[in-house]
Amino acid sequence: MKHRHETEIKLPVKDFKDIRRLLTEQGFRPIVARHFESNILFDFSDLRLRKLRCLVRLRYMGDQALLTYKGTPLRSRDYKIRPEFESMVDDGHRVHEILLHLGLKEMFSYEKYRTIYAPRGRRDGLDGPHLVYDETPVGNYIELEGPQRWIDEVARQLGYKRKDYIKESYASLYRQKCQDEGKTPGNMLFRKRDS
């Protein structure tokens, strides 16, 4: 099980071809190929986790599953910093049942395609700074996770400024998009899944 404080931001992506070129120029290389992820957020009926800005998430990636708890974010103007506990689980469906028996309920589901990149000189693994490219039903984003100085440097190299940093979760981005479009929020799912 992995426990640490994660520090991350999201950046909106308009043209991934340009970003991919810049990533190559900066020495980034894919360490986990593009793959589909299905995520379920759980909470109690009284929404106590959401009120505390915490989450329990079960993520399915093919035959693998990852259970995550994220604690209340620390105060930070530009970055999302929060405690995180993660563990790969052998049987995601069994863990799903356990969470329901503990009184948690499925509150929100979202899907995305994710590709994970490592910077020059890094070996495989996600224990150090890394960049992910997420394709979601509400747009495409880069997530940078690592020390603040590293995040700032990579964002600058990719042509972003601090005003471009996004701290919101995908659930928050989805709810905002629904509100902007006058739609009732449901789950953030692709209409028809691509391969």
Side-chain angles (χ1 to χ4, degrees), residues 45-131:
S45 297
D46 62 4
L47 302 179
R48 71 183 81 156
L49 295 176
R50 184 173 174 185
K51 290 173 186 171
L52 292 170
R53 299 179 62 211
C54 299
L55 71 79
V56 171
R57 178 184 65 210
L58 186 58
R59 170 175 290 163
Y60 294 94
M61 307 155 293
D63 295 337
Q64 297 180 310
L66 178 69
L67 180 65
T68 304
Y69 168 79
K70 295 190 180 195
T72 303
L74 306 177
R75 292 193 183 272
S76 173
R77 189 183 72 173
D78 296 319
Y79 312 92
K80 184 188 283 187
I81 304 169
R82 64 195 311 184
E84 178 183 74
F85 299 85
E86 290 187 315
S87 183
M88 296 300 293
V89 293
D90 291 332
D91 186 343
H93 300 291
R94 180 72 61 183
V95 170
H96 185 270
E97 289 178 31
I98 291 170
L99 294 172
L100 295 177
H101 278 83
L102 288 171
L104 291 151
K105 300 183 181 317
E106 289 186 30
M107 295 307 212
F108 181 67
S109 294
Y110 64 100
E111 298 175 335
K112 65 185 177 198
Y113 290 90
R114 172 168 274 190
T115 307
I116 304 176
Y117 293 82
R120 178 182 291 123
R122 268 274 320 285
R123 299 185 188 272
D124 292 354
L126 300 177
D127 292 333
H130 59 276
L131 177 151

